[in-house]
Amino acid sequence: MLPNVPGAATTTPATAPVPAEAVAPLMRGMAVLRRLTEADGALSPSALEKATGLARSTVDRITATLARMGYVRLDGRDVVLAPRLMELGNAYLAALRLPRLLDAHADALADELDESVSLAVRDRDGVRFIHQATRRRAMSLSFRIGDLLPAERTAPGPLFATEWEPADWARWRIRRTADPEGHGFPAVPPRGGAYDDFEDRTARAGAQGWALDDQLIEPGLVAVSVPVRDPRTGRIACVANVVSHTSRHTAESLRSTLLPRLRAAVAAMEQELQRERGELRKSSPSATAPRGAAPAPGGPPAPAGLAAWTGASKQELGREFVESLARGLTVITSFGEGRAELTLTEVARTTGLARATARRALITLEHLGYVESYDRVFRLTPRVLGLGFPPLSMLPLPRIAAPHLAELSARVHDSASLAILTEGGDEVQYTARVATSRIMSVNITLGTRLPAYATSLGRVMLADLLPQAPLPDRPAALTPHTVTGRRELLTVLERVRDTGYALVDGELEEGLRSVAVPVRERGGRVVAAVNVAMHSSRRSVEECVEEVLPALRDAVGRIEGELAVAGMFRRVPEV
């Protein structure tokens, strides 16, 4: 369902009195997540104590609860945001539906123009990006999904401001006076003077139907924007934005050269929204997405098991587990595709919480600006994207996998690695690795390339490409044990595909034994592999299968769970 009412008109949390029924632990937990986000994803507990003003014991209880949920990771002395936290932002993006409907159009336009293209939505008097199609250049021009920018320093801002009510303008003027250089927007460098002609630029944007950013964010950056309108209401659903830099385009050349093609792409986007509207009209209630929330792998369970999970967590962690915080965050994930707007009763049913508990959580989230309500229904606001999404949206697969490789290596006391297939499919390239500190250990560094056909990593990835696996015409016999016959190699790959793992014993190097499991993305495609490698004296082949393989599969399952969350609305880089 697309937005059909203006943006939130509630008072800002800084000035609104705290409702009597607000859940204080939930408010404190949100403050911790916001500070971690502003710090680019990692802070020490003492730094969190200072940044939030909370007692150290409170910070410890909150981070223990978030760690139990899989939302943060305790890494040495730091609290680090974990990819599973992105399920909060995913709930908003899924409910909004715009990324799913329009991202292919934005990507195609970026390819056509060879420039970065983004989609943005309004967040009060700011702008948040919900999709980025970037160009890979030495000078990269893009913001992270979820980054908040001041409206007056962007091309989309004047377009959104054409729909502001008097209360919105009043709030903007208060903010402008209190923060003239924009220090409250950490995603952009502070800068004065950007406010001076914002009202005039808004009037021009309303008259011409497009807007420019001529180096308002920073010198050298230029952008042009066109609104994408909701076919039901005629209001702005989002804004499509093309970004470049002055060595490629001036603001004037953006207008004359790229604006016509941007407008054509926006017309196609609006047709997509119109088609979606027609399909929703035709579909019966039984054909819409289910109201129930899908379980998150490795995190809190589906609603039916939520009470048992929180109870078990409380029993295990004692007072270190803040049950009201866990329940409040679960309320956010009750929203999603087909659940864009929910009543209190529907939130309670979807989460499995008591109505009174769900009500207090919603009151708290509305006070903080993460939920808005009208006509007795609730929906998420773009502010939810500010809960860890920007720094986490930049994580590549090796960084997602790294902590799980470390846990795997510590569990089996041998080296663990992540690798991908090179473009031709003939080699594997190591992209993450945790080595053990042994006198005799497997010595491989990041970036190392090895022949795919003779490695366990390569075989589990090649097996996914059958029957078109790219095998060399004449594989070299690296040791007396190396399988080199094409028919025999195909038979080996078929067995690997059936069993889900590969074990290579002395085929790459005498005495080297390794076992590997594939890593699959959300759609089931194999994108990488993880292995454990050791000297053959460490374990027999049977012990590798009985002892190492279960631990390896467990680690890969955790990697795939986080990869599925991180890749729901963006492509996760493999390197």
Side-chain angles (χ1 to χ4, degrees):
M1 184 177 296
L2 299 172
N4 59 2
V5 297
T10 55
T11 314
T12 60
T15 59
V18 178
E21 294 180 275
V23 182
L26 178 56
M27 295 178 66
R28 297 180 190 125
M30 292 300 208
V32 167
L33 289 175
R34 287 197 304 272
R35 295 297 176 261
L36 283 168
T37 303
E38 291 167 2
D40 214 28
L43 279 176
S44 67
S46 58
L48 275 172
E49 179 185 359
K50 183 178 180 180
T52 60
L54 298 172
R56 176 59 183 269
S57 60
T58 301
V59 169
D60 289 343
R61 293 179 66 213
I62 288 171
T63 54
T65 303
L66 295 172
R68 176 72 172 184
M69 300 184 75
Y71 287 173
V72 304
R73 185 174 289 115
L74 305 180
D75 185 7
R77 296 184 177 181
D78 286 341
V79 180
V80 181
L81 295 179
R84 194 170 300 284
L85 178 63
M86 294 177 71
E87 70 182 14
L88 302 180
N90 285 346
Y92 166 73
L93 294 173
L96 186 68
R97 296 175 69 89
L98 292 175
R100 183 181 69 78
L101 294 171
L102 305 183
D103 60 1
H105 295 279
D107 294 347
L109 180 63
D111 290 339
E112 177 189 349
L113 302 180
D114 194 26
E115 300 288 355
S116 295
V117 175
S118 57
L119 300 176
V121 295
R122 171 193 168 190
D123 185 354
R124 296 180 183 250
D125 59 347
V127 170
R128 285 197 196 267
F129 294 102
I130 59 171
H131 180 71
Q132 291 282 5
T134 59
R135 315 314 289 162
R136 299 190 70 175
R137 295 197 181 98
M139 289 188 62
S140 178
L141 292 174
S142 68
F143 291 96
R144 303 169 300 184
I145 297 175
D147 269 335
L148 179 66
L149 278 63
E152 64 276 2
R153 288 180 63 184
T154 68
L159 295 166
F160 287 121
T162 62
E163 297 184 344
W164 284 6
E165 303 292 340
D168 299 315
W169 281 106
R171 183 168 55 236
W172 175 77
R173 292 187 182 98
I174 291 171
R175 192 257 294 167
R176 175 190 66 181
T177 302
D179 185 14
E181 293 188 341
H183 291 277
F185 297 86
V188 295
R191 184 180 182 187
Y195 307 88
D196 298 342
D197 63 345
F198 181 56
E199 291 169 86
D200 291 338
R201 285 190 284 121
T202 298
R204 287 199 300 273
Q208 63 197 16
W210 52 272
L212 282 173
D213 164 10
D214 189 358
Q215 306 182 74
L216 291 170
I217 295 233
E218 64 181 23
L221 187 149
V222 289
V224 61
S225 290
V226 172
V228 181
R229 297 192 176 273
D230 184 337
R232 294 176 301 167
T233 64
R235 296 183 66 87
I236 298 174
C238 67
V239 168
N241 187 50
V242 177
V243 185
S244 187
H245 54 78
T246 50
S247 61
R248 292 177 59 83
H249 283 283
T250 64
E252 175 57 30
S253 70
L254 277 182
R255 184 196 66 78
S256 60
T257 306
L258 303 189
L259 179 59
R261 291 144 88 181
L262 174 58
R263 278 177 157 162
V266 165
M269 293 179 187
E270 290 177 340
Q271 290 176 1
E272 189 74 48
L273 298 186
Q274 185 67 50
R275 277 195 297 273
E276 172 76 0
R277 182 188 180 195
E279 290 171 6
L280 288 176
R281 278 169 138 183
K282 292 176 184 177
S283 62
S284 64
S286 61
T288 59
R291 288 282 189 178
L306 182 62
W309 180 83
T310 55
S313 299
K314 188 71 174 177
Q315 184 174 4
E316 179 182 336
L317 298 179
R319 66 183 305 274
E320 296 304 305
F321 182 74
V322 186
E323 199 166 8
S324 56
L325 170 58
R327 288 173 170 174
L329 292 174
T330 302
V331 166
I332 293 178
T333 60
S334 67
F335 295 85
E337 188 164 353
R339 305 185 307 278
E341 297 176 343
L342 298 176
T343 64
L344 170 59
T345 299
E346 289 170 333
V347 169
R349 183 171 66 242
T350 303
T351 58
L353 298 172
R355 271 178 57 93
T357 302
R359 179 174 177 272
R360 291 190 64 199
L362 286 167
I363 287 172
T364 307
L365 293 171
E366 185 168 21
H367 168 69
L368 295 175
Y370 297 104
V371 165
E372 60 187 5
S373 64
Y374 69 99
D375 294 339
R376 297 187 177 182
V377 298
F378 298 86
R379 67 181 181 186
L380 300 178
T381 72
R383 183 165 293 191
V384 172
L385 291 174
L387 298 174
F389 212 93
L392 292 171
S393 69
M394 302 300 289
L395 289 182
L397 179 56
R399 286 188 58 191
I400 292 174
H404 304 290
L405 295 180
E407 291 177 18
L408 173 62
S409 180
R411 182 174 171 183
V412 301
H413 307 291
D414 276 304
S415 300
S417 303
L418 176 83
I420 60 172
L421 273 181
T422 56
E423 188 172 351
D426 56 335
E427 292 181 314
V428 298
Q429 179 179 352
Y430 284 75
T431 57
R433 178 168 169 78
V434 176
T436 54
S437 55
R438 294 181 178 278
I439 295 175
M440 185 171 63
S441 61
V442 180
N443 183 24
I444 293 174
T445 58
L446 294 186
T448 295
R449 294 189 177 199
L450 296 173
Y453 72 91
T455 62
S456 60
L457 290 162
R459 286 181 182 176
V460 291
M461 291 187 280
L462 290 172
D464 189 59
L465 302 177
L466 289 173
Q468 303 299 325
L471 296 176
D473 293 331
R474 294 180 180 178
L478 305 175
T479 76
H481 310 290
T482 309
V483 176
T484 57
R486 182 175 180 84
R487 180 169 296 180
E488 190 177 358
L489 274 172
L490 289 173
T491 300
V492 169
L493 293 181
E494 288 169 356
R495 184 166 61 248
V496 167
R497 182 181 59 186
D498 293 340
T499 60
Y501 75 93
L503 194 150
V504 171
D505 187 14
E507 295 188 50
L508 179 69
E509 184 177 317
E510 290 276 13
L512 178 62
R513 183 172 291 153
S514 67
V515 58
V517 171
V519 177
R520 298 182 184 274
E521 62 168 2
R522 288 178 60 88
R525 181 176 65 93
V526 172
V527 294
V530 173
N531 84 337
V532 172
M534 69 204 77
H535 189 270
S536 57
S537 62
R538 288 271 299 138
R539 290 183 179 88
S540 67
V541 169
E542 292 74 17
E543 287 171 332
C544 283
V545 174
E546 293 172 3
E547 299 173 7
V548 176
L549 183 57
L552 180 57
R553 282 177 162 158
D554 183 55
V556 168
R558 294 196 303 273
I559 294 170
E560 289 179 336
E562 292 194 346
L563 179 60
V565 175
M568 188 171 181
F569 288 102
R570 62 142 189 157
R571 181 188 172 276
V572 177
E574 295 170 8
V575 293

